[in-house]
Structures are given as C-alpha cells and as structure tokens.
Amino acid sequence: MSFVVSCCSSVDIPVEQLKENNISYVPMHYSLDGEAFLDELETRAPMADFYKKMSEGAITATSQVNIDEYKKYFESFLAEGKDILHICLSSGITGTYNSALIAKEDLLEKYPDSKIVLVDSLCASCGYGILALRAAKMQKEGCSVEETADYIEKLKHRVQQWFFSTDLSYYVRGGRLSAVSGWFGTVLKICPLLEVDGEGKLVPREKCRGKQKAITACAEKMKLLTENGSKYDGECYIANADCIDDAKALAAILEKEFPKLKNKIQIVDVGAIIGSHTGPGTTGLFFVGKEK
C-alpha cells in the first residue's frame, strides 16, 4: 500500500468493514458515570447496554484524541515508511482536527520525507465513515494520497447527514437546544430534524410533530437532495441509538422510493462517541447527494 487510510473510532462504520477495507482507526475516549473507556471498536460493550445505562440516568462524556496520542499513532506508520491520509471528525463538533495538525507538524520535523495529509471531514458518524470508505476504494485503485485527498475534500460537501430524536434531553444538555425549547418539544412530542451543515455543525432544520412525521421528513430530504432522484444506488447508512424499529421504518420507506437500494441500506449503531451526546432514541440518515 502506498499510504494508510485512517480515521477515528467515531465513524460508526462496523469494525468488520473497516478491516475489510484496510482502514486504520485511532480510538477516542468516553466515560460512563465517571468510569473512563478507550473506544476500541473490537472490544466495546454492546451499544444496547450503553444506551440502557444512559436511559437509567448514567452521565456520559467524551474527550478527543490528544496531540501525544496522535503523534504515537501516526509514528507507528511513518516508522514503517508509510504515508498517511487521516480523515478527522468534523471541526464543527470537536477540536481533534487541530490536535492532529499539531502532531503532524511535530512529526514532519523528524520524518521530513514523509506525508501526513489531513482532511477535516465536516462530517459525523456514518457520513464521516462514507468518506473513509471512498478513500480506501481509491487507494485500492492505485490513486496517490494527494489525488485521494483532493477527491475527499470535494466529496465531503456532498455527504448528506440528517438526524431526528425522540428524546431531546441530551440535546439540551449539550447546548444544541435551549431548556425551554426542549421542554416544549417534549410536551408537544416534537422531533426536530437536524442536519450536519456545510460548516460541520449539527443544526436544527425542521420541527416535526411526532416520530412518524420525522421519519417521513427524513425520507423526503433524501428524495430532494439526491442528484439522480429515485435512481440513486450509492451509499446509504441509517444509524440508530437503540431505536432499531425507527431505523427499519425509515429503511422501508427508502426502499420503496429508491428501488435500487433494496437490500443495500445498511443499518448500524450510533457509537459511544456520538451517542454520548445524542442519547438513545436518535436516528441518522447518511447518503451522497447535492452539494450543500
């Protein structure tokens, strides 16, 4: 391999897919009721257990990969003579991109003939995962690290990422909704439809009265934003935080609207890093569409 395709553990792509595509990852950190964990995908506890504890009142928190961790991780490849393409979780959500930049600058003093190419994905969860998978595909086809990075830089503006949730308390806690909005939303059974926007930030877009309307609105966004309409046959991921029935309901609508996606939609778990902030009851839809 001419270079390593790399990401962090927040991609929410099944670890088996990462391995099949030779995608390396660096684990982030999370805590559950004060107990710290390294987000190692191979050994992480089932996400159903994680969300059950959150529902029972467990407090969660996350922390990014720090500079020293990035240096150690990157150097493990540089010491073997491998260049690196590392795709970072959106800078609109975390500061991990800046930590990776500092680590890169320090390491290139020691490895001046090596390449560390960083991409700020402006994406989260499976949106970020789609970029990593596309990069791995290009690498297998013999593209250079620069060619691959240029392609990913353009593609990231076309990755559509839409979320809705049946529990707003975690969005209030994280500051994405005010306490008043969260209270009224809960009382009125409002499921806000949120998007990861062009700056990589999670922002509310629509207020849907009830879960079924949120599911329908999510499907409508895909109909509106795919470039080739019902003929779309590209990547489609639905991530769920312990609400598999909602994910399946959305998938059923999409399979009718997009016949070429039948049996191709991948339903996955929202992982511990993103899930610590969105909480149980969150569903996300990810596909490649029109530029934001």
Side-chain angles (χ1 to χ4, degrees):
M1 296 187 296
S2 58
F3 62 94
V4 174
V5 176
S6 169
C7 58
C8 75
S9 62
S10 60
V11 291
D12 291 346
I13 297 295
V15 67
E16 294 79 14
Q17 273 192 291
L18 297 180
K19 290 179 177 179
E20 288 169 6
N21 290 277
N22 294 315
I23 300 171
S24 298
Y25 78 92
V26 56
M28 297 182 75
H29 306 262
Y30 68 95
S31 64
L32 192 63
D33 263 352
E35 185 177 358
F37 297 91
L38 195 61
D39 191 31
E40 294 182 313
L41 304 182
E42 295 88 348
T43 58
R44 187 170 64 190
M47 291 310 303
D49 295 346
F50 178 84
Y51 289 119
K52 182 175 185 293
K53 290 178 181 178
M54 288 188 78
S55 297
E56 292 170 349
I59 301 300
T60 57
T62 61
S63 60
Q64 64 190 47
V65 183
N66 64 41
I67 296 168
D68 287 339
E69 287 173 318
Y70 263 129
K71 287 173 69 174
K72 182 178 179 181
Y73 173 71
F74 288 156
E75 191 164 20
S76 68
F77 301 115
L78 298 179
E80 297 177 357
K82 297 178 180 178
D83 294 328
I84 302 166
L85 171 59
H86 182 71
I87 308 172
C88 296
L89 178 62
S90 172
S91 62
I93 295 174
T94 177
T96 189
Y97 178 65
N98 289 330
S99 296
L101 276 175
I102 296 170
K104 168 186 172 177
E105 292 169 2
D106 289 350
L107 284 169
L108 290 183
E109 293 180 6
K110 183 176 179 181
Y111 298 91
D113 297 325
S114 298
K115 296 174 184 175
I116 305 174
V117 182
L118 303 178
V119 174
D120 178 1
S121 70
L122 302 181
C123 295
S125 187
C126 297
Y128 171 31
I130 287 172
L131 296 180
L133 290 169
R134 287 281 188 102
K137 182 175 184 292
M138 292 190 70
Q139 184 222 46
K140 289 178 183 177
E141 292 173 351
C143 296
S144 69
V145 65
E146 294 89 354
E147 290 171 330
T148 304
D150 287 345
Y151 172 77
I152 297 301
E153 285 285 359
K154 296 182 179 73
L155 179 65
K156 71 185 186 184
H157 298 291
R158 295 175 49 219
V159 176
Q160 296 288 333
Q161 307 161 89
W162 295 87
F163 295 82
F164 65 87
S165 182
T166 56
D167 186 344
L168 304 183
S169 60
Y170 300 94
Y171 293 87
V172 173
R173 182 189 302 169
R176 292 181 175 85
L177 290 175
S178 70
V180 173
S181 295
W183 184 84
F184 276 109
T186 300
V187 170
L188 298 175
K189 296 184 178 180
I190 298 295
C191 291
L193 186 63
L194 304 102
E195 178 196 14
V196 177
D197 68 6
E199 296 181 351
K201 298 176 181 178
L202 186 62
V203 294
R205 292 301 192 201
E206 296 180 16
K207 296 177 181 178
C208 301
R209 189 75 178 268
K211 180 171 61 177
Q212 187 55 51
K213 288 188 177 179
I215 292 172
T216 301
C218 214
E220 288 296 323
K221 289 299 181 184
M222 186 164 174
K223 288 169 61 179
L224 179 67
L225 294 170
T226 48
E227 289 187 333
N228 50 355
S230 62
K231 296 180 181 178
Y232 181 77
D233 62 353
E235 297 95 340
C236 183
Y237 283 85
I238 300 175
N240 79 101
D242 199 30
C243 49
I244 188 67
D245 289 341
D246 296 344
K248 288 180 177 179
L250 177 56
I253 295 173
L254 295 180
E255 286 192 343
K256 290 180 181 178
E257 297 290 344
F258 302 90
K260 291 186 177 181
L261 289 182
K262 189 169 182 63
N263 299 321
K264 289 179 62 179
I265 297 172
Q266 298 191 58
I267 297 177
V268 300
D269 290 325
V270 175
I273 302 303
I274 303 298
S276 291
H277 301 281
T278 63
T282 291
T283 303
L285 172 64
F286 309 87
F287 58 94
V288 178
K290 298 176 183 177
E291 187 166 332
K292 296 177 185 176

mmCIF file of all heavy atoms in Angstrom, residues 144-182:
data_model
loop_
_atom_site.group_PDB
_atom_site.id
_atom_site.type_symbol
_atom_site.label_atom_id
_atom_site.label_comp_id
_atom_site.label_asym_id
_atom_site.label_seq_id
_atom_site.Cartn_x
_atom_site.Cartn_y
_atom_site.Cartn_z
ATOM 1 N N SER A 144 -2.950 8.184 -5.799
ATOM 2 C CA SER A 144 -1.971 8.696 -4.846
ATOM 3 C C SER A 144 -2.680 9.291 -3.638
ATOM 4 O O SER A 144 -3.900 9.544 -3.669
ATOM 5 C CB SER A 144 -1.107 9.770 -5.500
ATOM 6 O OG SER A 144 -1.876 10.941 -5.747
ATOM 7 N N VAL A 145 -1.933 9.555 -2.582
ATOM 8 C CA VAL A 145 -2.524 10.151 -1.386
ATOM 9 C C VAL A 145 -3.070 11.533 -1.692
ATOM 10 O O VAL A 145 -4.134 11.933 -1.183
ATOM 11 C CB VAL A 145 -1.499 10.177 -0.221
ATOM 12 C CG1 VAL A 145 -0.313 11.081 -0.534
ATOM 13 C CG2 VAL A 145 -2.165 10.604 1.080
ATOM 14 N N GLU A 146 -2.378 12.290 -2.559
ATOM 15 C CA GLU A 146 -2.847 13.633 -2.916
ATOM 16 C C GLU A 146 -4.129 13.574 -3.742
ATOM 17 O O GLU A 146 -5.069 14.346 -3.513
ATOM 18 C CB GLU A 146 -1.772 14.398 -3.691
ATOM 19 C CG GLU A 146 -0.524 14.733 -2.904
ATOM 20 C CD GLU A 146 0.528 13.633 -2.973
ATOM 21 O OE1 GLU A 146 0.241 12.548 -3.553
ATOM 22 O OE2 GLU A 146 1.632 13.839 -2.467
ATOM 23 N N GLU A 147 -4.178 12.660 -4.716
ATOM 24 C CA GLU A 147 -5.385 12.508 -5.539
ATOM 25 C C GLU A 147 -6.582 12.120 -4.682
ATOM 26 O O GLU A 147 -7.698 12.646 -4.856
ATOM 27 C CB GLU A 147 -5.161 11.446 -6.613
ATOM 28 C CG GLU A 147 -4.186 11.850 -7.715
ATOM 29 C CD GLU A 147 -3.832 10.686 -8.621
ATOM 30 O OE1 GLU A 147 -3.832 9.532 -8.149
ATOM 31 O OE2 GLU A 147 -3.544 10.955 -9.805
ATOM 32 N N THR A 148 -6.343 11.204 -3.766
ATOM 33 C CA THR A 148 -7.423 10.746 -2.889
ATOM 34 C C THR A 148 -7.911 11.867 -1.989
ATOM 35 O O THR A 148 -9.119 12.078 -1.832
ATOM 36 C CB THR A 148 -6.946 9.551 -2.047
ATOM 37 O OG1 THR A 148 -6.467 8.517 -2.909
ATOM 38 C CG2 THR A 148 -8.080 9.003 -1.198
ATOM 39 N N ALA A 149 -6.976 12.610 -1.406
ATOM 40 C CA ALA A 149 -7.359 13.714 -0.518
ATOM 41 C C ALA A 149 -8.129 14.793 -1.268
ATOM 42 O O ALA A 149 -9.123 15.327 -0.756
ATOM 43 C CB ALA A 149 -6.113 14.309 0.131
ATOM 44 N N ASP A 150 -7.712 15.110 -2.488
ATOM 45 C CA ASP A 150 -8.416 16.120 -3.288
ATOM 46 C C ASP A 150 -9.861 15.681 -3.554
ATOM 47 O O ASP A 150 -10.795 16.493 -3.477
ATOM 48 C CB ASP A 150 -7.696 16.350 -4.622
ATOM 49 C CG ASP A 150 -6.396 17.124 -4.460
ATOM 50 O OD1 ASP A 150 -6.193 17.719 -3.378
ATOM 51 O OD2 ASP A 150 -5.594 17.131 -5.406
ATOM 52 N N TYR A 151 -10.020 14.411 -3.860
ATOM 53 C CA TYR A 151 -11.368 13.880 -4.124
ATOM 54 C C TYR A 151 -12.235 13.949 -2.865
ATOM 55 O O TYR A 151 -13.405 14.367 -2.913
ATOM 56 C CB TYR A 151 -11.262 12.444 -4.622
ATOM 57 C CG TYR A 151 -12.581 11.729 -4.734
ATOM 58 C CD1 TYR A 151 -13.438 11.982 -5.804
ATOM 59 C CD2 TYR A 151 -12.981 10.803 -3.774
ATOM 60 C CE1 TYR A 151 -14.663 11.336 -5.909
ATOM 61 C CE2 TYR A 151 -14.195 10.152 -3.872
ATOM 62 C CZ TYR A 151 -15.035 10.418 -4.936
ATOM 63 O OH TYR A 151 -16.244 9.777 -5.035
ATOM 64 N N ILE A 152 -11.675 13.546 -1.730
ATOM 65 C CA ILE A 152 -12.422 13.546 -0.472
ATOM 66 C C ILE A 152 -12.781 14.966 -0.059
ATOM 67 O O ILE A 152 -13.873 15.223 0.477
ATOM 68 C CB ILE A 152 -11.628 12.830 0.638
ATOM 69 C CG1 ILE A 152 -11.415 11.352 0.272
ATOM 70 C CG2 ILE A 152 -12.337 12.938 1.983
ATOM 71 C CD1 ILE A 152 -12.684 10.569 0.049
ATOM 72 N N GLU A 153 -11.889 15.920 -0.309
ATOM 73 C CA GLU A 153 -12.168 17.325 0.021
ATOM 74 C C GLU A 153 -13.397 17.828 -0.738
ATOM 75 O O GLU A 153 -14.187 18.618 -0.212
ATOM 76 C CB GLU A 153 -10.967 18.204 -0.304
ATOM 77 C CG GLU A 153 -9.804 18.091 0.670
ATOM 78 C CD GLU A 153 -10.068 18.808 1.988
ATOM 79 O OE1 GLU A 153 -11.151 19.412 2.146
ATOM 80 O OE2 GLU A 153 -9.205 18.764 2.867
ATOM 81 N N LYS A 154 -13.563 17.387 -1.959
ATOM 82 C CA LYS A 154 -14.746 17.778 -2.745
ATOM 83 C C LYS A 154 -15.983 16.994 -2.311
ATOM 84 O O LYS A 154 -17.077 17.550 -2.167
ATOM 85 C CB LYS A 154 -14.481 17.558 -4.239
ATOM 86 C CG LYS A 154 -13.379 18.425 -4.825
ATOM 87 C CD LYS A 154 -13.222 18.176 -6.319
ATOM 88 C CE LYS A 154 -12.136 19.053 -6.936
ATOM 89 N NZ LYS A 154 -10.781 18.601 -6.555
ATOM 90 N N LEU A 155 -15.804 15.697 -2.099
ATOM 91 C CA LEU A 155 -16.932 14.833 -1.765
ATOM 92 C C LEU A 155 -17.581 15.214 -0.438
ATOM 93 O O LEU A 155 -18.808 15.096 -0.285
ATOM 94 C CB LEU A 155 -16.466 13.370 -1.707
ATOM 95 C CG LEU A 155 -17.531 12.321 -1.351
ATOM 96 C CD1 LEU A 155 -18.601 12.253 -2.437
ATOM 97 C CD2 LEU A 155 -16.889 10.958 -1.145
ATOM 98 N N LYS A 156 -16.796 15.691 0.520
ATOM 99 C CA LYS A 156 -17.337 15.948 1.853
ATOM 100 C C LYS A 156 -18.473 16.972 1.833
ATOM 101 O O LYS A 156 -19.340 16.953 2.710
ATOM 102 C CB LYS A 156 -16.224 16.392 2.807
ATOM 103 C CG LYS A 156 -15.677 17.786 2.558
ATOM 104 C CD LYS A 156 -14.497 18.070 3.493
ATOM 105 C CE LYS A 156 -14.022 19.506 3.376
ATOM 106 N NZ LYS A 156 -12.820 19.747 4.229
ATOM 107 N N HIS A 157 -18.494 17.835 0.841
ATOM 108 C CA HIS A 157 -19.552 18.842 0.745
ATOM 109 C C HIS A 157 -20.842 18.262 0.160
ATOM 110 O O HIS A 157 -21.857 18.953 0.097
ATOM 111 C CB HIS A 157 -19.080 20.013 -0.110
ATOM 112 C CG HIS A 157 -17.892 20.720 0.466
ATOM 113 N ND1 HIS A 157 -17.961 21.462 1.623
ATOM 114 C CD2 HIS A 157 -16.592 20.773 0.061
ATOM 115 C CE1 HIS A 157 -16.766 21.953 1.909
ATOM 116 N NE2 HIS A 157 -15.924 21.547 0.985
ATOM 117 N N ARG A 158 -20.786 17.001 -0.268
ATOM 118 C CA ARG A 158 -21.964 16.348 -0.853
ATOM 119 C C ARG A 158 -22.529 15.238 0.043
ATOM 120 O O ARG A 158 -23.553 14.634 -0.293
ATOM 121 C CB ARG A 158 -21.614 15.767 -2.226
ATOM 122 C CG ARG A 158 -21.246 16.819 -3.265
ATOM 123 C CD ARG A 158 -20.802 16.163 -4.569
ATOM 124 N NE ARG A 158 -21.761 15.148 -4.991
ATOM 125 C CZ ARG A 158 -21.419 13.982 -5.546
ATOM 126 N NH1 ARG A 158 -20.130 13.674 -5.731
ATOM 127 N NH2 ARG A 158 -22.337 13.117 -5.908
ATOM 128 N N VAL A 159 -21.868 14.996 1.157
ATOM 129 C CA VAL A 159 -22.368 13.958 2.069
ATOM 130 C C VAL A 159 -23.499 14.556 2.908
ATOM 131 O O VAL A 159 -23.299 15.499 3.669
ATOM 132 C CB VAL A 159 -21.246 13.421 2.971
ATOM 133 C CG1 VAL A 159 -21.827 12.415 3.975
ATOM 134 C CG2 VAL A 159 -20.168 12.748 2.136
ATOM 135 N N GLN A 160 -24.688 14.016 2.734
ATOM 136 C CA GLN A 160 -25.872 14.496 3.441
ATOM 137 C C GLN A 160 -26.045 13.717 4.746
ATOM 138 O O GLN A 160 -25.957 12.494 4.771
ATOM 139 C CB GLN A 160 -27.111 14.327 2.558
ATOM 140 C CG GLN A 160 -27.084 15.157 1.292
ATOM 141 C CD GLN A 160 -27.281 16.634 1.572
ATOM 142 O OE1 GLN A 160 -27.903 17.018 2.576
ATOM 143 N NE2 GLN A 160 -26.770 17.479 0.696
ATOM 144 N N GLN A 161 -26.347 14.462 5.831
ATOM 145 C CA GLN A 161 -26.415 13.863 7.164
ATOM 146 C C GLN A 161 -27.594 14.470 7.913
ATOM 147 O O GLN A 161 -27.572 15.641 8.286
ATOM 148 C CB GLN A 161 -25.125 14.153 7.930
ATOM 149 C CG GLN A 161 -23.867 13.736 7.154
ATOM 150 C CD GLN A 161 -22.626 14.426 7.683
ATOM 151 O OE1 GLN A 161 -21.981 13.917 8.593
ATOM 152 N NE2 GLN A 161 -22.283 15.589 7.136
ATOM 153 N N TRP A 162 -28.625 13.656 8.133
ATOM 154 C CA TRP A 162 -29.854 14.122 8.765
ATOM 155 C C TRP A 162 -30.185 13.263 9.978
ATOM 156 O O TRP A 162 -30.058 12.044 9.936
ATOM 157 C CB TRP A 162 -31.000 14.079 7.754
ATOM 158 C CG TRP A 162 -30.768 15.048 6.629
ATOM 159 C CD1 TRP A 162 -30.077 14.824 5.472
ATOM 160 C CD2 TRP A 162 -31.185 16.414 6.580
ATOM 161 N NE1 TRP A 162 -30.040 15.970 4.709
ATOM 162 C CE2 TRP A 162 -30.711 16.960 5.355
ATOM 163 C CE3 TRP A 162 -31.925 17.234 7.444
ATOM 164 C CZ2 TRP A 162 -30.960 18.281 4.993
ATOM 165 C CZ3 TRP A 162 -32.167 18.540 7.074
ATOM 166 C CH2 TRP A 162 -31.693 19.054 5.865
ATOM 167 N N PHE A 163 -30.607 13.908 11.056
ATOM 168 C CA PHE A 163 -30.883 13.226 12.317
ATOM 169 C C PHE A 163 -32.242 13.646 12.869
ATOM 170 O O PHE A 163 -32.684 14.780 12.665
ATOM 171 C CB PHE A 163 -29.839 13.605 13.385
ATOM 172 C CG PHE A 163 -28.439 13.160 13.101
ATOM 173 C CD1 PHE A 163 -27.609 13.904 12.260
ATOM 174 C CD2 PHE A 163 -27.919 12.023 13.706
ATOM 175 C CE1 PHE A 163 -26.304 13.509 12.011
ATOM 176 C CE2 PHE A 163 -26.616 11.621 13.462
ATOM 177 C CZ PHE A 163 -25.812 12.364 12.616
ATOM 178 N N PHE A 164 -32.876 12.742 13.605
ATOM 179 C CA PHE A 164 -34.012 13.118 14.449
ATOM 180 C C PHE A 164 -33.944 12.298 15.719
ATOM 181 O O PHE A 164 -33.293 11.244 15.779
ATOM 182 C CB PHE A 164 -35.354 12.924 13.726
ATOM 183 C CG PHE A 164 -35.693 11.501 13.394
ATOM 184 C CD1 PHE A 164 -36.353 10.688 14.295
ATOM 185 C CD2 PHE A 164 -35.353 10.966 12.149
ATOM 186 C CE1 PHE A 164 -36.676 9.377 13.983
ATOM 187 C CE2 PHE A 164 -35.674 9.658 11.820
ATOM 188 C CZ PHE A 164 -36.337 8.860 12.740
ATOM 189 N N SER A 165 -34.607 12.785 16.768
ATOM 190 C CA SER A 165 -34.538 12.109 18.058
ATOM 191 C C SER A 165 -35.870 12.190 18.779
ATOM 192 O O SER A 165 -36.591 13.185 18.676
ATOM 193 C CB SER A 165 -33.446 12.738 18.928
ATOM 194 O OG SER A 165 -33.357 12.056 20.166
ATOM 195 N N THR A 166 -36.175 11.133 19.514
ATOM 196 C CA THR A 166 -37.395 11.109 20.320
ATOM 197 C C THR A 166 -37.129 11.573 21.753
ATOM 198 O O THR A 166 -38.061 11.682 22.543
ATOM 199 C CB THR A 166 -37.987 9.697 20.349
ATOM 200 O OG1 THR A 166 -36.986 8.773 20.839
ATOM 201 C CG2 THR A 166 -38.418 9.258 18.957
ATOM 202 N N ASP A 167 -35.886 11.835 22.092
ATOM 203 C CA ASP A 167 -35.525 12.301 23.439
ATOM 204 C C ASP A 167 -34.639 13.532 23.279
ATOM 205 O O ASP A 167 -33.499 13.434 22.810
ATOM 206 C CB ASP A 167 -34.798 11.196 24.209
ATOM 207 C CG ASP A 167 -34.528 11.573 25.663
ATOM 208 O OD1 ASP A 167 -34.628 12.770 26.001
ATOM 209 O OD2 ASP A 167 -34.209 10.676 26.455
ATOM 210 N N LEU A 168 -35.150 14.683 23.683
ATOM 211 C CA LEU A 168 -34.436 15.944 23.473
ATOM 212 C C LEU A 168 -33.525 16.330 24.641
ATOM 213 O O LEU A 168 -32.793 17.303 24.542
ATOM 214 C CB LEU A 168 -35.444 17.074 23.223
ATOM 215 C CG LEU A 168 -36.427 16.857 22.070
ATOM 216 C CD1 LEU A 168 -37.310 18.081 21.910
ATOM 217 C CD2 LEU A 168 -35.686 16.550 20.779
ATOM 218 N N SER A 169 -33.571 15.583 25.733
ATOM 219 C CA SER A 169 -32.839 15.995 26.932
ATOM 220 C C SER A 169 -31.332 16.077 26.693
ATOM 221 O O SER A 169 -30.653 16.948 27.258
ATOM 222 C CB SER A 169 -33.133 15.029 28.087
ATOM 223 O OG SER A 169 -32.746 13.697 27.765
ATOM 224 N N TYR A 170 -30.815 15.200 25.845
ATOM 225 C CA TYR A 170 -29.368 15.195 25.602
ATOM 226 C C TYR A 170 -28.952 16.365 24.713
ATOM 227 O O TYR A 170 -27.835 16.880 24.832
ATOM 228 C CB TYR A 170 -28.956 13.862 24.975
ATOM 229 C CG TYR A 170 -29.294 12.696 25.881
ATOM 230 C CD1 TYR A 170 -30.493 11.996 25.732
ATOM 231 C CD2 TYR A 170 -28.450 12.325 26.924
ATOM 232 C CE1 TYR A 170 -30.828 10.961 26.571
ATOM 233 C CE2 TYR A 170 -28.775 11.286 27.767
ATOM 234 C CZ TYR A 170 -29.968 10.600 27.604
ATOM 235 O OH TYR A 170 -30.298 9.583 28.455
ATOM 236 N N TYR A 171 -29.853 16.808 23.849
ATOM 237 C CA TYR A 171 -29.559 17.979 23.018
ATOM 238 C C TYR A 171 -29.581 19.256 23.862
ATOM 239 O O TYR A 171 -28.818 20.182 23.615
ATOM 240 C CB TYR A 171 -30.567 18.073 21.866
ATOM 241 C CG TYR A 171 -30.430 16.949 20.880
ATOM 242 C CD1 TYR A 171 -31.097 15.743 21.071
ATOM 243 C CD2 TYR A 171 -29.620 17.065 19.760
ATOM 244 C CE1 TYR A 171 -30.963 14.688 20.178
ATOM 245 C CE2 TYR A 171 -29.483 16.023 18.852
ATOM 246 C CZ TYR A 171 -30.155 14.842 19.067
ATOM 247 O OH TYR A 171 -30.014 13.796 18.185
ATOM 248 N N VAL A 172 -30.452 19.285 24.865
ATOM 249 C CA VAL A 172 -30.482 20.412 25.792
ATOM 250 C C VAL A 172 -29.200 20.434 26.623
ATOM 251 O O VAL A 172 -28.552 21.471 26.777
ATOM 252 C CB VAL A 172 -31.720 20.332 26.714
ATOM 253 C CG1 VAL A 172 -31.660 21.409 27.789
ATOM 254 C CG2 VAL A 172 -32.996 20.476 25.893
ATOM 255 N N ARG A 173 -28.822 19.267 27.118
ATOM 256 C CA ARG A 173 -27.610 19.168 27.935
ATOM 257 C C ARG A 173 -26.379 19.605 27.145
ATOM 258 O O ARG A 173 -25.480 20.256 27.684
ATOM 259 C CB ARG A 173 -27.421 17.729 28.424
ATOM 260 C CG ARG A 173 -26.212 17.533 29.331
ATOM 261 C CD ARG A 173 -25.969 16.055 29.594
ATOM 262 N NE ARG A 173 -27.119 15.404 30.195
ATOM 263 C CZ ARG A 173 -27.240 14.090 30.335
ATOM 264 N NH1 ARG A 173 -26.288 13.288 29.867
ATOM 265 N NH2 ARG A 173 -28.302 13.567 30.903
ATOM 266 N N GLY A 174 -26.344 19.278 25.844
ATOM 267 C CA GLY A 174 -25.197 19.641 25.021
ATOM 268 C C GLY A 174 -25.253 21.044 24.458
ATOM 269 O O GLY A 174 -24.342 21.467 23.743
ATOM 270 N N GLY A 175 -26.352 21.777 24.741
ATOM 271 C CA GLY A 175 -26.446 23.160 24.301
ATOM 272 C C GLY A 175 -26.972 23.344 22.891
ATOM 273 O O GLY A 175 -26.980 24.464 22.367
ATOM 274 N N ARG A 176 -27.416 22.268 22.245
ATOM 275 C CA ARG A 176 -27.923 22.392 20.876
ATOM 276 C C ARG A 176 -29.390 22.815 20.848
ATOM 277 O O ARG A 176 -29.893 23.261 19.827
ATOM 278 C CB ARG A 176 -27.724 21.078 20.114
ATOM 279 C CG ARG A 176 -26.256 20.786 19.864
ATOM 280 C CD ARG A 176 -26.025 19.501 19.086
ATOM 281 N NE ARG A 176 -24.624 19.351 18.776
ATOM 282 C CZ ARG A 176 -23.715 18.823 19.597
ATOM 283 N NH1 ARG A 176 -24.101 18.403 20.784
ATOM 284 N NH2 ARG A 176 -22.456 18.725 19.241
ATOM 285 N N LEU A 177 -30.082 22.654 21.970
ATOM 286 C CA LEU A 177 -31.432 23.176 22.139
ATOM 287 C C LEU A 177 -31.508 23.859 23.494
ATOM 288 O O LEU A 177 -30.868 23.429 24.455
ATOM 289 C CB LEU A 177 -32.475 22.042 22.093
ATOM 290 C CG LEU A 177 -32.738 21.342 20.755
ATOM 291 C CD1 LEU A 177 -33.714 20.190 20.978
ATOM 292 C CD2 LEU A 177 -33.306 22.302 19.731
ATOM 293 N N SER A 178 -32.296 24.934 23.582
ATOM 294 C CA SER A 178 -32.471 25.602 24.872
ATOM 295 C C SER A 178 -33.344 24.747 25.774
ATOM 296 O O SER A 178 -34.103 23.880 25.308
ATOM 297 C CB SER A 178 -33.112 26.976 24.672
ATOM 298 O OG SER A 178 -34.469 26.827 24.262
ATOM 299 N N ALA A 179 -33.273 25.008 27.069
ATOM 300 C CA ALA A 179 -34.080 24.249 28.023
ATOM 301 C C ALA A 179 -35.568 24.455 27.751
ATOM 302 O O ALA A 179 -36.371 23.516 27.846
ATOM 303 C CB ALA A 179 -33.729 24.662 29.447
ATOM 304 N N VAL A 180 -35.940 25.676 27.373
ATOM 305 C CA VAL A 180 -37.347 25.966 27.085
ATOM 306 C C VAL A 180 -37.804 25.206 25.839
ATOM 307 O O VAL A 180 -38.866 24.583 25.827
ATOM 308 C CB VAL A 180 -37.560 27.488 26.896
ATOM 309 C CG1 VAL A 180 -38.986 27.767 26.424
ATOM 310 C CG2 VAL A 180 -37.283 28.231 28.193
ATOM 311 N N SER A 181 -36.977 25.227 24.792
ATOM 312 C CA SER A 181 -37.312 24.505 23.561
ATOM 313 C C SER A 181 -37.421 23.009 23.828
ATOM 314 O O SER A 181 -38.307 22.334 23.303
ATOM 315 C CB SER A 181 -36.261 24.773 22.485
ATOM 316 O OG SER A 181 -36.262 26.125 22.100
ATOM 317 N N GLY A 182 -36.514 22.508 24.647
ATOM 318 C CA GLY A 182 -36.550 21.089 24.974
ATOM 319 C C GLY A 182 -37.799 20.703 25.731
ATOM 320 O O GLY A 182 -38.414 19.661 25.470
#
